[in-house]
Amino acid sequence: MASRLNPYISFNGNAREAMEFYQGILGGNLTMSTFGEFGDKDAPYADQIMHAMLESDAGYTLMASDTPPGMAYHPGDNITVSLSGDDGDKLRGYWEKLTEGGTVGVPLEKQMWGDEFGALKDRFGINWMVNIAGS
């Protein structure tokens, strides 16, 4: 496998719901493992996600986990997921689905640099940017 760089998002007990939401938008294959599968099956957080990976048909990869007890959780403070390319219809479709329950900071529209661009915070507190080249 070639090297890759992809976002890894921490959630506070709702990683499963978030990753299933993102799979519904981006499609692809989602694999998830729980803390209980690799540790104490009776722990209160055993059903939470230790590691999840979504590999979309478009080549996007998102990884995530729930924040284990005792670790600090600060949603959205240190990550923005960027989707970009020239397939405007597909990217606009992602945008529409991501806005459901979220907050748009910059509407998806033509910008001074010539691309269509928008920014939002989704319903899980994760920041997203969408850039459609040369629209």
Side-chain angles (χ1 to χ4, degrees):
M1 171 175 69
S3 297
R4 69 174 150 195
L5 176 69
N6 58 269
Y8 199 109
I9 306 170
S10 294
F11 292 94
N12 195 26
N14 59 352
R16 180 183 307 278
E17 179 187 358
M19 293 301 284
E20 289 172 348
F21 174 71
Y22 300 144
Q23 182 186 33
I25 294 168
L26 301 171
N29 184 45
L30 175 60
T31 57
M32 293 188 271
S33 302
T34 65
F35 286 104
E37 290 175 75
F38 294 96
D40 183 359
K41 294 178 185 355
D42 296 322
Y45 58 93
D47 290 336
Q48 290 186 0
I49 301 302
M50 183 183 83
H51 178 73
M53 183 167 70
L54 173 62
E55 294 181 293
S56 79
D57 299 332
Y60 304 130
T61 300
L62 278 177
M63 293 184 185
S65 67
D66 283 310
T67 304
M71 291 184 67
Y73 173 71
H74 304 285
D77 284 353
N78 60 352
I79 188 169
T80 298
V81 182
S82 175
L83 296 172
S84 59
D86 58 8
D87 189 338
D89 291 339
K90 183 173 282 193
L91 291 165
R92 281 185 208 93
Y94 296 155
W95 171 267
E96 289 302 317
K97 291 174 184 174
L98 286 165
T99 62
E100 294 172 13
T103 304
V104 173
V106 178
L108 183 63
E109 59 190 21
K110 191 156 189 133
Q111 302 295 324
M112 63 182 153
W113 60 87
D115 293 352
E116 198 171 335
F117 174 85
L120 65 96
K121 183 174 285 197
D122 74 19
R123 68 184 189 195
F124 298 101
I126 303 302
N127 293 304
W128 291 77
M129 297 183 298
V130 174
N131 191 85
I132 304 169
S135 308

